[in-house]
C-alpha cells in the first residue's frame, strides 16, 4: 500500500527537477509557474495526508474553481456556472458520503443543468448552454475519484506532472512532427518522452500496472488536447488569468482529469 510519506520524496524530487529546468531555461514565465507549483504541491500532499476529508475538500475547491473557469471559456451565464459548480460538488460529496451512488448524483446534476436554459426559455442559445454544461459535468466529475483512489491518485498526479514537464522540454529540444493541429507547439517527440518519464515514475513508485500505464501514456496527452480544443473554440489562450504564470487551474490539471477518467474506465 502506497503511503503519502513514501511519496513525499518523489514530490520533492519532481519539484526540484522542475525548478532546475525552469532556472536553466532562463524564462521568467517558467520560474513563476514553478513557484506556483512549489506552493500548491505541499497543499495537495497535505490534503492526501489528512485522508478522505482532506482529499474531498481539495476536490471540492478544485471542482468549483475549474467549473467557473470552464463556464467562462464557454461563455456561460452566471446561473449556468453556479449550477455546474454545484452539480460537480454534488458528485464529489456523493463519492465520499454515499459511495456507489455517483451515477445518480451525475443524473441529478444533469437535470439541474438542463433546467436553467429550459426555465429561462432560451430557444436561441439553450442547446449550446445545455451541451456545454453537460460536457463540463462529465469532464470535471472525475474529481470525485480522488478520495476513493487515495494515494493511487497522488501517484498518478506525480507521474502526470513529471510527464508534462519532460514533454514540454523534450518537445522543444527534439522537435519533429506536431502532435495535433489543436496544439501546434506540442510534438510527438515530447509526448513520447513525457510518457516514458511518467511510466518510469510509476515504476519507481511501485504503482505501474496496465490501467495506470494507459492513463499516463494516453489519457494525460489526450486531456491536454481536449482542453486545447475547448480553448481554441473559445479563442482563448488560457482558461483564466488569476494563477501567476499558469493562466487558470484548468490549464494545470487538464492532463490529470482525463488520466483519471481512463484509470476509472480500466480499473
Amino acid at each position: 500500500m502506497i503511503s503519502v510519506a513514501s511519496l513525499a520524496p518523489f514530490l520533492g524530487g519532481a519539484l526540484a527537477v522542475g525548478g532546475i529546468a525552469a532556472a536553466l531555461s532562463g524564462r521568467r514565465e517558467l520560474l513563476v509557474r514553478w513557484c506556483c507549483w512549489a506552493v500548491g504541491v505541499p497543499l495537495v500532499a497535505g490534503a492526501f495526508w489528512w485522508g478522505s476529508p482532506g482529499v474531498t475538500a481539495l476536490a471540492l475547491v478544485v471542482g468549483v474553481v475549474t467549473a467557473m473557469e470552464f463556464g467562462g471559456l464557454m461563455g456561460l451565464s452566471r446561473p449556468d456556472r453556479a449550477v455546474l459548480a454545484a452539480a460537480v460538488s454534488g458528485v464529489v460529496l456523493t463519492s465520499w458520503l454515499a459511495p456507489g451512488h455517483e451515477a445518480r448524483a451525475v443524473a441529478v446534476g444533469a437535470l439541474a443543468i438542463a433546467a436553467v436554459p429550459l426555465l429561462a426559455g432560451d430557444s436561441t442559445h439553450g442547446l449550446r448552454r445545455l451541451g456545454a454544461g453537460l460536457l463540463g459535468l462529465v469532464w470535471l466529475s472525475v474529481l470525485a475519484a480522488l478520495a476513493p483512489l487515495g494515494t493511487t491518485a497522488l501517484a498518478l498526479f506525480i507521474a502526470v506532472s513529471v510527464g508534462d514537464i519532460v514533454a514540454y522540454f523534450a518537445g522543444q529540444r527534439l522537435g519533429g512532427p506536431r502532435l495535433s493541429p489543436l496544439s501546434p507547439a506540442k510534438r510527438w517527440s515530447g509526448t513520447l518522452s513525457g510518457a516514458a518519464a511518467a511510466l518510469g515514475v510509476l515504476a519507481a513508485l511501485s504503482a505501474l500496472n496496465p490501467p495506470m500505464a494507459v492513463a499516463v501514456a494516453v489519457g494525460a496527452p489526450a486531456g491536454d488536447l481536449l482542453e486545447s480544443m475547448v480553448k481554441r473554440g473559445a479563442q482563448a489562450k488560457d482558461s483564466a488569468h488569476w494563477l501567476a504564470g499558469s493562466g487558470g487551474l484548468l490549464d494545470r490539471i487538464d492532463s490529470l482529469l482525463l488520466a483519471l477518467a481512463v484509470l476509472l474506465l480500466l480499473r
Side-chain angles (χ1 to χ4, degrees), residues 72-233:
L73 280 174
M74 301 304 295
L76 297 179
S77 66
R78 288 185 179 180
D80 287 305
R81 298 185 207 183
V83 172
L84 173 59
V88 172
S89 298
V91 179
V92 171
L93 286 172
T94 300
S95 72
W96 179 40
L97 300 175
H101 295 278
E102 292 86 356
R104 292 183 179 179
V106 171
V108 171
L111 291 174
I113 288 170
V116 180
L118 287 176
L119 293 176
D122 187 356
S123 60
T124 304
H125 303 290
L127 185 59
R128 180 187 62 81
R129 292 165 64 185
L130 174 60
L134 293 178
L135 171 61
L137 176 63
V138 173
W139 191 12
L140 302 178
S141 287
V142 297
L143 291 167
L146 291 178
L149 287 174
T151 50
T152 298
L154 185 56
L156 184 67
F157 168 73
I158 297 171
V160 169
S161 299
V162 172
D164 281 346
I165 294 170
V166 172
Y168 179 84
F169 286 101
Q172 284 192 331
R173 295 289 183 181
L174 300 177
R178 293 178 177 175
L179 177 63
S180 168
L182 292 172
S183 188
K186 292 180 174 57
R187 309 285 175 172
W188 274 105
S189 59
T191 300
L192 295 176
S193 299
L199 292 173
V201 170
L202 290 178
L205 296 176
S206 299
L208 182 59
N209 54 57
M212 290 283 275
V214 176
V216 300
V218 179
D224 188 64
L225 290 179
L226 174 59
E227 200 213 1
S228 294
M229 181 176 70
V230 171
K231 290 191 294 186
R232 279 190 169 272

